[in-house]
Amino acid sequence: MTTLPRPTAALSADEARRIALRAQGFLGAPDRRSGVRGVLRHLGAVQLDTISVLARSHELIPYARLGAVGRKTVEAAYWTDTHAFEYWSHAACILPIEEWPHFAFRRRAYRDRPHWAHELPDGAYDQVIKQLRTEGPLTATELGGAKKTSEWWDWSGTKVAVERALMYGEVVSVQRRGWKRVYDLAERAVPATLLHDDLDDTECLRRLVRLAGLSLGVGTRADIADYHRLKGEQVDAVIADSGLVPVEVEGWSKPAWADPAALATPPRGRHRTTLLSPFDSLIWDRARTERIFGFTHRLEAYVPKPKRVYGYYAMPVLAGGRLVGRVDPAREGSGVLVARQVTLDGPKAVPAVAEALVEAASWVNCTTVRVERVDTPELREPLVREVTRALTTALR
């Protein structure tokens, strides 16, 4: 049985929540000078997802922290001058390019993997590498076709080959074009000083555990493992040497670790009010979200419509350091943001939800907000009035 180290500090549940908010960039003045790239470095991973309602999730992440940064600015920050690469972390994520060496353990694991869901046709891998070397960055379609049939899972041999090369690290996704990955050779796309797999698994894992602790502020073993989808035993093997310190958190049933710098300075400053992507790293771990915020977060996009409770793409509303409601948004015609379904945590949440709706509308160039269903019907009219007031103020 493993003996756990003695906690170096005891935190109240409120202190842990505020530490987590600050670590994720939602408490205190936003670092606008470092911008989107600063957000990416700070978080360590920005999750990608196919769904686009207001915008795609990787655009919503910096917006939630910095405000109305232009969407073209977001894309340029990620993909120009080799500041980032796409790889498997928490899921498919944009990662800071300087972390390329620390994913060597995962590339090695993929190379040693005995079984794959898709068969690799003879010669397809070498052909993909040859074509990229000759022609430069290409999508799977440009390489020869992404699918054999219209079914999403029925990959062509070319797609199987280039995705295998991506996992092995011989190929890099250097941007998304029309939501298609654009592939290039790692030897061209990754700076020479970073293009190596020299670090052993222990060093890679120690770094990723440390980064997860910094990005979370404070977290349990499961929280830290989930951030970059490590195994619990991988965390156990390196956490003592990661620089994180053991802490005890009020109401948490499991031991926790924290960034010592986060403990050194009390978290203070202004709270951000915003809509959150369901894939935001503040809330992507359901168990952690329930433990810290007392908020049950579920993505219902893949739930049959009659069984949905909060809506297709319900976005939690963050205000005052709390999750105070949900909005299931849509865009209609030119310039209309529709709140198809709104869930409010009581009357006090009305101004914050209105503020979040109006700011989001402005960001995606909508000049009107229409509120449809509110789960507490008596709060619909107060919300409509508050939205109208906020819109009038914003348009002055």
Side-chain angles (χ1 to χ4, degrees), residues 302-324:
Y302 305 109
V303 174
K305 189 174 181 179
K307 295 185 177 181
R308 291 175 191 155
V309 177
Y310 300 112
Y312 173 79
Y313 197 74
M315 300 179 69
V317 181
L318 179 70
R322 310 279 182 179
L323 297 176
V324 300

Side-chain angles (χ1 to χ4, degrees), residues 246-329:
V247 296
E248 184 179 82
V249 181
E250 173 194 15
W252 292 20
S253 61
K254 302 291 185 182
W257 281 263
D259 168 21
L263 301 177
T265 308
R268 298 191 182 96
R270 184 178 180 182
H271 287 286
R272 181 92 172 96
T273 297
T274 189
L275 298 179
L276 294 174
S277 161
F279 304 101
D280 195 295
S281 50
L282 180 70
I283 55 170
W284 65 19
D285 184 329
R286 294 177 179 178
R288 177 178 170 86
T289 302
E290 291 182 12
R291 186 184 339 117
I292 292 180
F293 295 104
F295 188 92
T296 302
H297 165 57
R298 301 285 187 272
L299 176 67
E300 297 180 328
Y302 305 109
V303 174
K305 189 174 181 179
K307 295 185 177 181
R308 291 175 191 155
V309 177
Y310 300 112
Y312 173 79
Y313 197 74
M315 300 179 69
V317 181
L318 179 70
R322 310 279 182 179
L323 297 176
V324 300
R326 297 172 176 85
V327 172
D328 182 32

Side-chain angles (χ1 to χ4, degrees), residues 5-26:
R6 186 182 298 276
T8 59
L11 300 174
S12 69
D14 186 65
E15 287 171 327
R17 178 182 58 81
R18 291 170 64 82
I19 286 172
L21 286 164
R22 182 176 63 183
Q24 282 285 303
F26 290 108

Side-chain angles (χ1 to χ4, degrees), residues 159-210:
K159 176 68 171 176
V160 173
V162 76
E163 285 293 321
R164 195 79 63 90
L166 178 79
M167 290 175 166
Y168 292 170
E170 194 166 358
V171 159
V172 180
S173 175
V174 292
Q175 71 175 102
R176 291 273 185 152
R177 187 192 303 152
W179 198 241
K180 295 179 180 179
R181 282 178 174 149
V182 179
Y183 305 93
D184 197 6
L185 298 180
E187 64 194 50
R188 252 191 327 243
V190 179
T193 54
L194 300 173
L195 187 63
H196 63 80
D197 282 359
D198 297 347
L199 305 182
D200 63 23
D201 285 11
T202 298
E203 192 166 352
C204 292
L205 293 168
R206 186 186 299 120
R207 169 69 173 176
L208 292 182
V209 166
R210 169 70 172 165

Side-chain angles (χ1 to χ4, degrees), residues 40-84:
L40 175 61
R41 287 194 300 272
H42 191 73
L43 297 180
V46 169
Q47 185 172 343
L48 292 154
D49 191 77
T50 58
I51 299 173
S52 180
V53 179
L54 289 182
R56 294 204 186 271
S57 185
H58 66 285
E59 300 172 291
L60 290 164
I61 304 307
Y63 160 74
R65 289 154 178 83
L66 301 175
V69 57
R71 296 172 67 184
K72 289 183 179 179
T73 300
V74 171
E75 293 293 340
Y78 287 139
W79 300 124
T80 56
D81 303 325
T82 319
H83 283 274

